[in-house]
Each structure stands twice: as C-alpha cells, then as structure tokens.
Amino acid sequence: MAEPQGVQRGLQDVVALESRICFIDGRQGRLIYQGYDIRDLAARSTFEEVAYLLWYGRLPNATQLEELKGRFGTVRALPPPLVDQIDRMPIEAHPMDILRTAVSALAGFEPEETRPGASSIGGAQRLTAVLPSILAQFHRRRKGLPLVRARPELSQAAYLLYAVLDREPTELETRAMDVALILHADHELNASTFAARVTASTLSDLYSAVTSAVGTLKGPLHGGANERVMELLDEIGTPERVEEIVHGKLSRHERIMGFGHRVYKVEDPRATILREWSRKVGENKGDLHYYELLRRVEEVVHREKGLYPNVDLYSGSVYSLLGFPADLFTPIFAASRVAGWTAHVLEEYQDLRLIRPTAKYVGAVDLPYVPIGQRS
Ligand code: SDX
C-alpha cells in the first residue's frame, strides 16, 4: 500500500476530482459557471437561467427557460403534512435548523419511487423550488401570517421576497435578490458542496445529500458568516467606533466575519458586485448606514491584515435593506446554493467514485487489553 502523503489539513489545495461546473481563479479573482464569467451572469442573467446552466451545462433557449420557470412555480408548494411539521417546530428555532429538518422530512413524504425525478434533475428542480417555501412557511408562522399562496407566475427571487416579506417587491428589490441568488448559486468544492458530493458518492439520494449540505453551510466559517457580519456591524454602531472595535478583535486574534477565503487571494468577485448592490439598494432606501460602516471596516481589516472581503461581507446589508431578518440570511444562501449542490450531486452520479480519504494515524498501537476489574 502506498505510503500516505503528508497531511493536508482541511484538504487545502488538494485536487479531489474533475468537474465542469465551476472554476475559481483565486489569484485573478475570477469565478466561472460552466464557462460563463460571474460578472456577465450577474449583469445579464437570472437565477432560473443560472440554475439551468449549472444542471445542463448550457444556457437555456426561451422555451426551455419558460418550462423551467413553470416547473419551479408548480413544484414549490409544500405537502400539507410538512407544513404541519414545520408549524409544530419551536418558533425560537434557528431557520437553518428548520431548513435542514424540513428537507430531510420532505424525503419521507416523497418516497424515492414517487419523488419528482428522484435523484435526477427533476429532484434538483423540486428541491430548488421548495427551499424558499420552507423558509417562508416558518417565517410567516413565527410572524403569525397566514399560509402563503404559491404564486407560480413569480420568479424565485420575486417569490422569496413576496412569500417571506408578505408584500409585492419592487423591480429594483427583485433584481437585487436575483443577482444575490446568481452570485451564491455555486462555488466549486466549498465545504457544503463537498459534503453533498461525499453523501452522493455513497449512492445515497439527492435529498440526503442536500440535507448534509444544509447542515454544513450553517457554520460561521462558511455560510453562517453573513449573519455574523451584521452582528459585528450592530456591535460597532457608528463609523467612529470601527477602528476601536475591529482593531480590538484583530489584536485578540478574533476572526472578522466576511473577510478572507481559502481560495481567493484577492477580492472575491462576488463581494465586488454585492458592494455595488449594497450601495444601490441603500441609496434607493435612503439608508447607507451599513454600507458606510462596511467600507470603513474594509479599510481597517485590509490595512491591518491584508485581507479582502468575501461574498458574505455585503450580502447581509443587501438582505437587511430588503427587509429580511439576519437569521434568514444563511437560509437565503441555501436557497440559491441548492442549485449548485444538486448540480454537483448529479455530476457525482454520472462519474461515481466513493469519496474516502485516509488519515495519518498518530495514536498509540499494541496496547494490552486490561480487564475492567484491574483498571484504576
Ligand atoms: C464562504 O470555500 C468557499 O468557496 C466558501 C464560500 C462559498 O461560496 O461557498 O466562498 C462561502 O464560506 C466564504 C467565507 C465565509 N467565512 C468567513 O467570512 C469567516 C471568516 N473567514 C475566516 O474564518 C477564513 O478566512 C476562512 C475560513 C474563510 C478561510 O480560512 P483558511 O483558508 O483556513 O485560512 P486560515 O484560517 O489558515 O487563515 C490564514 C491567516 C491566519 O492568520 P495567522 O493565524 O496565520 O496569523 O489569515 C488569518 C488567520 O488568522 N485570517 C483572518 C481571517 N481569515 C483568515 N484573520 C481575521 N479575520 C479573518 N476573517
């Protein structure tokens, strides 16, 4: 057996597989989905187009796009027993726990043989369509709002705003939400996508793989950072306190959420786009409070640590301006990334290889077994 290589903690820089779905150039700060630059997609595409692109490897024509929009509209409704289950969960629960539980439970209400497309694109479309409905159902119940109408004519972005915030979104709000969904849709082998692929590599089903991914995304070193960025901003309060608070945290070797990245060595191109949307939506709402704080925080962190912002730095300020509470920010991330998770799961099924790295054992060996009566 080959001698195990040196340990690559966190699998840093380990090339685990070949994929056609997403390319990240960490040195140039470039992000590409199936050949298309994220800047073009954010400027000209929609989340529905991007989901199609991730699943099929090409942009849809007009008919294919309309069919996908129609499919999202028809399969976004929750089975009534799942609505009951969500309604029985404690309203104090974190929405990511609700999301993880509901995706897992959905599998139980849709046994594999009856699932729309099971472990195929049909299942990917079902899960992508239904995640916003799950987080909307939970949020509406904790707000005492009635069941939401499915509104099949609405895009994912518009439905997310309408269903959660209980109002008709403006064109600018819908576009801001759509761009955020495009930007979060995939990101190569990030931790939650890798978790989904590990699950799929055992030939487990799509719903189990997405359940693994939701649980992984929740972590503050991954998708949970956007919520913590807002906690930092609320702690800072005013531009005058940025220097003191951020410098203090850095001097205590604390992490500043929204900065740094395992792959990007320059600015995350998604942060560049979200910074602009934070300004645009802030100006539209007449509220640049978070935007201005974030600009100051950027200056201090870059000056003191040479770190750049990642996707999580500005996303929360956009979601907050749109009216979402901070504990829904990571669920919104999941409602987008489910397109990427499912694309990677389907790619794994097409070229299946059980993912099973090895560990360098550094524990004891050949210890004599001592009967319990002789142990201290
Ligand atoms: C996402 O992988 C993906 O693609 C993820 C993602 C996606 O789309 O799926 O891009 C989404 O998860 C973005 C990242 C969100 N997380 C955060 O913003 C949390 C804060 N960031 C850090 O925890 C950190 O930057 C990571 C986890 C993102 C990356 O960490 P690495 O690659 O393991 O780097 P490291 O921990 O080895 O840090 C290297 C140095 C260290 O300094 P020293 O101890 O060597 O002096 O940089 C420092 C770290 O202390 N550092 C930070 C920091 N990030 C790194 N110091 C302060 N604040 C930070 N945020």
Side-chain angles (χ1 to χ4, degrees):
M1 186 181 82
E3 179 58 28
Q5 308 155 359
V7 173
Q8 299 298 331
R9 288 197 66 227
L11 299 183
Q12 180 151 354
D13 301 329
V14 169
V15 179
L17 49 88
E18 290 184 353
S19 173
R20 295 178 175 280
I21 297 171
C22 179
F23 172 58
I24 302 171
D25 182 335
R27 299 209 173 282
Q28 300 296 321
R30 290 194 71 201
L31 172 57
I32 288 171
Y33 293 167
Q34 298 274 17
Y36 294 86
D37 191 295
I38 196 66
R39 288 165 297 190
D40 288 339
L41 295 172
R44 305 166 66 186
S45 188
T46 63
F47 175 69
E48 284 78 5
E49 265 204 350
V50 163
Y52 188 100
L53 172 65
L54 292 172
W55 289 326
Y56 292 93
R58 63 184 186 280
L59 287 172
N61 62 32
T63 306
Q64 292 160 337
L65 181 59
E66 281 317 301
E67 281 169 1
L68 180 60
K69 282 179 176 175
R71 176 112 169 102
F72 280 160
T74 51
V75 298
R76 67 169 49 129
L78 300 176
L82 182 60
V83 172
D84 295 342
Q85 184 162 344
I86 292 169
D87 288 355
R88 283 200 302 274
M89 297 286 285
I91 55 173
E92 307 77 27
H94 193 287
M96 282 299 280
D97 295 335
I98 301 296
L99 204 56
R100 189 191 62 242
T101 305
V103 168
S104 182
L106 187 63
F109 295 117
E110 297 178 346
E112 284 207 48
E113 60 282 1
T114 64
R115 267 177 223 162
S119 293
S120 72
I121 287 185
Q125 291 165 350
R126 167 63 167 162
L127 286 167
T128 303
V130 88
L131 255 62
S133 303
I134 293 170
L135 67 101
Q137 177 56 34
F138 176 68
H139 183 66
R140 294 176 69 91
R141 186 182 63 91
R142 68 181 181 180
K143 288 289 182 192
L145 294 170
L147 258 178
V148 67
R149 291 187 298 122
R151 295 285 302 272
E153 77 283 4
L154 293 181
S155 67
Q156 288 292 96
Y159 176 69
L160 194 51
L161 287 158
Y162 160 77
V164 177
L165 304 178
D166 200 42
R167 60 176 174 78
E168 294 297 331
T170 67
E171 206 172 303
L172 178 83
E173 291 172 328
T174 302
R175 186 60 194 155
M177 189 76 253
D178 207 16
V179 170
L181 293 176
I182 290 168
L183 294 175
H184 286 83
D186 195 56
H187 212 240
E188 199 225 56
L189 282 194
N190 60 88
S192 54
T193 300
F194 190 64
R197 286 196 80 137
V198 169
T199 305
S201 79
T202 71
L203 269 183
S204 185
D205 66 294
L206 194 64
Y207 289 49
S208 298
V210 171
T211 302
S212 301
V214 173
T216 306
L217 185 73
K218 182 183 175 190
L221 295 190
H222 187 16
N226 53 21
E227 184 177 347
R228 282 165 179 74
V229 167
M230 305 313 283
E231 289 167 9
L232 170 67
L233 297 183
D234 291 339
E235 179 189 350
I236 291 171
T238 63
E240 296 69 38
R241 281 170 41 89
V242 168
E243 189 83 33
E244 168 208 345
I245 300 285
V246 174
H247 179 76
K249 288 180 181 294
L250 290 173
S251 56
R252 295 189 296 274
H253 298 292
E254 292 176 29
R255 296 294 168 100
I256 309 297
M257 297 291 132
F259 287 92
H261 199 277
R262 175 60 62 79
V263 180
Y264 290 117
K265 302 310 168 201
V266 293
E267 181 161 291
D268 181 335
R270 301 167 296 176
T272 310
I273 298 166
L274 284 166
R275 180 191 295 115
E276 192 44 27
W277 276 96
S278 176
R279 183 190 58 75
K280 228 183 275 185
V281 180
E283 281 174 354
N284 175 265
K285 303 280 185 187
D287 178 0
L288 287 165
H289 171 67
Y290 284 139
Y291 173 77
E292 285 162 0
L293 280 184
L294 285 166
R295 294 310 315 258
R296 291 280 299 118
V297 171
E298 273 197 76
E299 283 164 22
V300 177
V301 173
H302 190 65
R303 185 188 71 228
E304 297 208 11
K305 287 290 276 191
L307 290 169
Y308 294 94
N310 60 50
V311 68
D312 288 297
L313 186 66
Y314 283 93
S315 57
S317 62
V318 175
Y319 301 150
S320 174
L321 285 162
L322 292 177
F324 292 104
D327 68 0
L328 290 185
F329 294 177
T330 310
I332 292 169
F333 191 151
S336 164
R337 185 56 57 87
V338 60
W341 291 333
T342 51
H344 278 271
V345 166
L346 298 177
E347 186 178 64
E348 186 65 36
Y349 287 148
Q350 285 154 13
D351 181 17
L352 195 83
R353 177 83 176 136
L354 177 70
I355 296 175
R356 200 277 187 215
T358 183
K360 179 179 179 183
Y361 180 67
V362 293
V365 288
D366 301 334
L367 293 176
Y369 183 82
V370 178
I372 192 157
Q374 296 169 30
R375 295 174 208 159
S376 53

